Structures are given as C-alpha cells and as structure tokens.
Amino acid sequence: MPEPRSGSRPTLEAVAALAGVSRATVSRVVNGGDGVRPHLADRVQTAIQELGYIPNHAARTLVTRRTGAVAVIIPEPEARIFSDPFFSRQIRGISKELTAHDTQLVLLLVEDLCDYDRIERYLAGGHVDGALAFSLHTDDPLPAIADRIGMPMVYGGRPGWTAGPGEDDRVTYVDADNRGGARDAVRHLLAQGRRRIAHICGPLDQTSAADRLSGYRDVLPDAGCELVASGDFTAAGGARAMAELLDRAPSIDAVFAGNDLMATGALRVLRERGRAVPAEVAVVGFDDAEPVAESADPPLTTVRQDIEGMGRMMARLLMERLGDGRGGGRSVPGPVITQTALVQRASG
Amino acid sequence: MPEPRSGSRPTLEAVAALAGVSRATVSRVVNGGDGVRPHLADRVQTAIQELGYIPNHAARTLVTRRTGAVAVIIPEPEARIFSDPFFSRQIRGISKELTAHDTQLVLLLVEDLCDYDRIERYLAGGHVDGALAFSLHTDDPLPAIADRIGMPMVYGGRPGWTAGPGEDDRVTYVDADNRGGARDAVRHLLAQGRRRIAHICGPLDQTSAADRLSGYRDVLPDAGCELVASGDFTAAGGARAMAELLDRAPSIDAVFAGNDLMATGALRVLRERGRAVPAEVAVVGFDDAEPVAESADPPLTTVRQDIEGMGRMMARLLMERLGDGRGGGRSVPGPVITQTALVQRASG
DNA sequence: TTGTAGGCGTTATCAC
DNA sequence: GTGATAACGCCTACAA
C-alpha cells in the first residue's frame, strides 16, 4: 500500500501525472470544476483520492492573495476577558460563523501596548484577510494601524471614538442596545414599586458601561450621585461597589448592576449584610451569559443580550465585506445594534 | 509623501532596487543579516523603513515550509470549555509562550465529530507547523489523524489511551499530578478529623476525573460507593451531586470535589440545606483558577495546579519538538507531570 | 561578501 | 474544454 510519506505531500503536479491531464485541469476540478468534462473530472477525483492530495495553502495564498483566515484581536490587559463568559460566548459565535465560511480563526491576545508592533507586522504580512476586535478603549492604537495598512475590520462593541450609537456609519461594529436595555431594567424595578434604585456601573472608558449608565439616567434623571458606584465588570468589583452603596445610602431598595458578574458580587455582599433579596433589595444584572446569571443565588433577573449571535454577526459582516468569493461586495456595512430582552428570575 | 498604496505592498524586489543591491542581500538582512557589510545593511534597512516593507508570509512559507503558526484544537462538545476558567488560563499560557517564539495561535473549535474532516484538511494543508489539543476522550479520532499526516502534537492532560501517568513515552503531554493532588486533599480532610469524606467526581471518561477519583480511593480504599457521586465539572452538576450525597449519606462531614466549579455548586446546596461550611461539612475543590475558588462563599480550600504554566509548558514542548530554528531538535519529549499544592482557605 | 538563477505549488491568461 | 506558460514573493545553493 503506497502510504504517502509524511513530510512531502503530493502536489497538484503528481495528481495531474497520475490522472494523465495537465495541472490546469486538476486545478479546475479542485476549485469547483466548471468546464471540465465529467469523464476527466472523474479521473482527476480518483487520482486525488488515491494520493490523498490536499492543496498547499501557502502556494494558493501567494497567487490568490487570500488567506482564508481572520484575526480576532483581544486586548488582554483587562484580564476579565476570559473570566467573563461574555467573551467566550462571543468567540464561540464567531467561530461557528467562520467555520461555515471555511475560514480560520487566528487568536491574537494583546498583552501590552508594545505588542501592537507585532500585531501590525502580523496583519500587514498577509496572514489574514480581515480582523475582528473587541471592546477598544478610546486611545487604542489598533484603528489607526488598521487604517494605515488597509485591513478590513469589524469591532465588537461601539468604539469609544464614535459619537454615539448609530451616529457613525464609517466604522463597522456590532453592539447591543445597551442604553435601551438599561432603561428596561430600571423601568422594571420602578414598576415593582422600588423607589431608591442604585446603579453599579462598569469602567466608564468602555462604551458598554457608559451607555448603560446613560440608560439608567434616562429613566432616573434626578438620582443622586450617591446612588451610583463604580465597578470593573468583575464580581469582586461589584462586591466593593455594593458595600459602598450600602454605606452611602442604606435605604436603597434596588440595584441595577452593569453586568451579571458584578451583580453576583453585589448579591454576596447583600447576603453578608443580611439584606434579603429580593424582599428588601432587588437586583438586576446585564448579559445573561451562562452560567453566571442562572446559577446565581438567587438566580438573577437580568437584561439578556444575544452574545453568541453578536459574535456570529461580527463574523458575518466581515465576510460580507471581504466579498466572500472573488471581489464581490466591497461595501462597508454600517453598525448593527441588536435588541436586548429582560429575563425575569428570582432576584428582582 | 509617498504613502504606500494599500493593496499592493512593497516587495523584496522593490527594497533591493531602492537600496541598489540584489534581492539576495535584502533577504539576508531581513533574516538576521550575517555576512553583510554594515555599510550595505544600513542602506537596506533604510530602504525597508522608507517603503514600510513587511515580508510576505505566504511566499516565505512556500519555500521554507514553515508557517510560524500552531493550532490549538478544542473539542467543543463539552461546552464547559469556556465557562470553566481552566481552559482560558491554559490558552493564556500557551499564547504567551507562542508569542515569545513569534508564533501565532490558530484556534480550532470542534463542534462535532464530522468537523474532523475539516480539521484534517486544515492540518494537512500546511497551515500550521504543529498542534496542541486538550482533554481528548478515548475514542477521539484526532491522534489517528495526526499520526497519519505526521503532525507534531502535544496534548493537554493525559490522553485516555495511555496506560497511566508516565507509562507511555511515545506521546507528549502535560498534566498535573491529579492523583497525588487528590490524595493531598483527602489527607488534609482526614487530618482535620473528618471521618465521612465524600467525593464528587468529574466525567470518568476524562483521565483528570478518573485520576482524581483514584487518588481519593488511594487514601480511603474502604469508602462505600454511597460516598461517591458523579458531576460533569460544572457548577450545576456539582449541585446535583451534592444533593444526591446528602440524601444517600446524611452524615457526611466533608466533600472533596473534582474541580472548583463543582465545589461551588456543592456549597450552594449545602447552604440551601442549612449545613454550615466548614463547621458541619468541609469542602475542598481542585484547580484554584481565578476567580472561582477565591470568590466562592466561603472561599474554597482547593488543590492548586499551575494552569497557565501548564499551557506554557505545552507550547514550549511543541516549540522544542519543532526545533525552533531550522531542523534542530527532532526529539519527541516525553510527558511532563506538574506538581500540585494544597491552598487552604475557609471552606475546609 | 555579494549577485545570479532556480524553484517552492498554485492560479490565471492565454492560445489551441 | 484543455494545456502550456507566466506570474506570485521569497529563500538558497552556487558561482563570482
């Protein structure tokens, strides 16, 4: 049995020789095979099977100028990236969509700012056709780099430099309706008769945090600033913020946390201080990513965003922009804002 | 200002022309530059700067047969992959090490078994120089594929088909001393005077779960089977198992859970049933991955494994095997077993 | 030390 | 329809 030797895989040439045709014909068969007589196509297919031929990626990329790969760039400095299921789910969504387009996911974790040199070389070196990036800060150098080297990008979460949701159509991003979702959460608490509603916000240099705070203020424009405490989107930060709120405003009867992780931190502090949830204090979170919200104690009422769907959408927009096949759609799709939905559970 | 047009980046040829030397000389400078007179090297560097030259990856790969990329293959079926910080940390470790070697990380999430076709094509297509794979089950087709196409592999966690820890030197893997760590945990509980010590094990088709169970039995060979319940490495599974144990053996005074996530589920059930931790029932976990163990309520006593370090080690072994530069070390390093350490906190 | 030339495996443009 | 042939951008003997 002629086992193919590892280390030197069969080439197009070998297939052509075995099938008794030219390289060009084999190439046609491999790439869809229009305009090849079934007779020959079959012979080629057989040869391909027999030799276990698999096209060489580098050679193909060299001539087509397409890599079939996409970078996902994650600013690692915020270590919450992996502890927060948010990113994981989004990556899963991205992965699914890319797989459906036969495109590979190259993960680029950015440890610190000087890594951006490496990132630039990588992106410019033709390793990938486009890139997806998460939760950039206002001063992130990535957009400038992408611009300079002409790399198609799609952002996750509204980038900080845009004027506001839906107000800048030159950049493609996918975001949830953070402001609207926050309004829903606060209105839900109001409808329960809650009157002293506090907010634990995330880091305000991220638009998701800022937009949720805006939503809170939309509904409660007169809320005193003693009712707003800052967290960092982690459980520990949420706990600290909750403790602060209880000290500053002991009479609060509800808390809207900027995400589920902070909400769980808040729940822990409320339990430690003997405040019954939701009887004395209602708690609402944001995200509804497995398994945090559902397995919280008590299970969290929260604002659901379709995180995996947002990931898929990011990938889809990029694919669209890359013109899936050859040349096609060069357009730059505008932002996509996805809807949120309040999910009521036991906490409020 | 001669902005380089995006879409057609400068080539080696262009640099050579601008510097007034041959392509070969430029190539030498780009790749370390031994044996080029400083005089010329400078001129080349200048030209490179001026043109913003960045080597084309595909062309280089085509001739060197090295991609500078490594695949990380994750069998997604177990959805815990991302909800469990274990994987996240390991990926972070891998990423750091790879970055240090100027190597890229290509993430391959495997949704279901038929994806392995795609995986094989990908690996055989010369996209990557080697691959890392996590927590395979006994019947996973990946090892056979890797073997057939001669892809250098390093596994995370002892693969199920190996006889036992350290008994098969033909496969490279990195694992913690799960059995020893489990023994430490149980002995720690014994030393506290606990007498009815239960175990919540993970899915036994994964060696990490099986080895930890073995460690438990090493210390407590006479423990009745009513003291062992199965979880699935998730918090919900841990909760179910805990409930089961309390029903079957109400007198238990300690629980060793196969990982931290299951331990948190156990804590929740114990709290719901009014059993004080650790006064009435002590709980010990396994992993000590942020933020689960530390932010549990009460904080978990647990067996720490250096997860990020294991990830780095996996990447390092693969790099070593690939012979970092040209051709060097072709050896197949044997398994590496890392030590664990008991971390005592409030839960037991 | 430097330059010349051949080839890596594909796709694409032509003739036939 | 099919087959030569020329790129694609780079590395690397080998020759000078």
Side-chain angles (χ1 to χ4, degrees), chain A residues 262-280:
Chain A
M262 294 196 296
T264 60
L267 286 178
R268 200 178 78 221
V269 169
L270 288 169
R271 187 166 53 230
E272 284 166 10
R273 305 232 184 156
R275 303 275 189 127
V277 175
E280 299 173 55

Side-chain angles (χ1 to χ4, degrees), chain A residues 218-247:
Chain A
D218 286 345
V219 182
L220 299 174
D222 302 327
C225 59
E226 81 279 7
L227 288 179
V228 176
S230 289
D232 55 1
F233 277 148
T234 70
R240 272 194 304 275
M242 186 73 246
E244 220 178 292
L245 288 172
L246 287 175
D247 293 343

Side-chain angles (χ1 to χ4, degrees), chain A residues 192-216:
Chain A
Q192 284 180 17
R194 310 284 172 173
R195 284 303 167 257
R196 295 276 287 166
I197 303 175
H199 178 48
I200 299 176
C201 64
L204 293 179
D205 58 345
Q206 293 186 238
T207 55
S208 57
D211 290 350
R212 289 168 202 175
L213 174 58
S214 300
Y216 169 82

Side-chain angles (χ1 to χ4, degrees), chain A residues 85 89 289-296, chain B residues 83-84 234-236 261:
Chain A
R89 286 201 81 92
E290 293 285 354
V292 176
E294 245 184 288
S295 65
Chain B
S83 59
D84 191 331
T234 70
L261 234 36

